[in-house]
Amino acid sequence: MPVQVSPLTEADIPGAVSAIQQAFADDPYKNWVFDKSTFDPQRNAASLGIRCRWGMRNGIFHVAKEEGSDDVLGVACWLKPKPADQPSTWKDWIEGWRLWFNQVGLNIYYGRGGLNVKRYYIWKEAQAKAQSAVWTDPRGYYFLNIMVVHPKAQGKGIGRLMMEAVTKQADAEGMKCYLESSRDVPNMQIYGRFGFKFAKELECNDDGIAINLYAMVREPNAKPEEN
């Protein structure tokens, strides 16, 4: 059956959360920022659900499904470009507080679920520095925040369908795209096929226990990187 890419709906959220959890089961960033011994999958699923609903309201959130099926095979969330000189709106403010209150309620009910808060803020600081250095276009960037394909559906071109759903829009608008990968191999090569190029390495170091993330940028109408 043909695969279709469509906006995430409330009914898709359980399948999207499951796909994200399975795709990131052994992700280097997840293993660094969460304590495996106290990781709570239920709490993580609830947190991802909150993020999905935020993304539906504020980003470009897609799922990939076979025609006629409700089974989520892939998930992609992009943040829309925001000009550097554009002030925050009331909507931005309300959405930020709404997300914060939801996360606080989650922490009260479930606890931290194994999240290492110190490492989370180490990552946020490294991310802010990288974006400050890399984001030179004052018009902003399409930011690929999440891109996963369910392990059972990999190798079928689903990632390409989800990627091109937004890169074609970015090309039409003459806008750049940005992402951060938690693996250099094979992820950077895969993203290179869509025109992304390595821009900066993010080192997240907690007293010698460190991971590296890889920032990549795609120019409008970029050609695939040669392997």
Side-chain angles (χ1 to χ4, degrees), residues 114-142:
L115 177 68
N116 186 316
V117 177
K118 176 186 176 184
R119 291 185 182 180
Y120 173 81
Y121 283 107
I122 289 172
W123 163 65
K124 292 299 291 184
E125 181 179 0
Q127 183 185 60
K129 288 179 179 178
Q131 292 178 1
S132 177
V134 172
W135 288 10
T136 57
D137 191 327
R139 298 174 302 162
Y141 293 71
Y142 280 97

Side-chain angles (χ1 to χ4, degrees), residues 17 21 25 30-31 33-49 103 105-116:
V17 167
Q21 286 187 314
K30 172 182 172 287
N31 292 337
V33 81
F34 285 99
D35 183 339
K36 285 187 175 182
S37 66
T38 56
F39 178 71
D40 183 347
Q42 186 177 3
R43 191 265 186 199
N44 180 249
S47 178
L48 288 172
Q103 291 290 350
L106 194 69
N107 292 337
I108 292 171
Y109 188 82
Y110 287 104
R112 292 289 185 179
L115 177 68
N116 186 316

Side-chain angles (χ1 to χ4, degrees), residues 7-28:
L8 176 75
T9 67
E10 183 68 28
D12 293 324
I13 290 178
V17 167
S18 177
I20 293 169
Q21 286 187 314
Q22 293 191 56
F24 283 100
D26 196 34
D27 180 74

Side-chain angles (χ1 to χ4, degrees), residues 19-95:
I20 293 169
Q21 286 187 314
Q22 293 191 56
F24 283 100
D26 196 34
D27 180 74
Y29 170 76
K30 172 182 172 287
N31 292 337
W32 179 79
V33 81
F34 285 99
D35 183 339
K36 285 187 175 182
S37 66
T38 56
F39 178 71
D40 183 347
Q42 186 177 3
R43 191 265 186 199
N44 180 249
S47 178
L48 288 172
I50 290 171
R51 294 285 176 175
C52 284
R53 292 178 180 91
W54 182 91
M56 289 168 61
R57 298 189 303 269
N58 298 280
I60 304 171
F61 217 131
H62 289 148
V63 291
K65 300 183 290 187
E66 287 187 338
E67 186 177 346
S69 172
D70 293 327
D71 194 12
V72 175
L73 303 178
V75 181
C77 179
W78 297 76
L79 305 183
K80 301 173 184 177
K82 182 178 180 179
D85 59 352
Q86 178 178 307
S88 295
T89 65
W90 277 106
K91 181 178 184 294
D92 296 332
W93 186 85
I94 291 169
E95 286 291 346

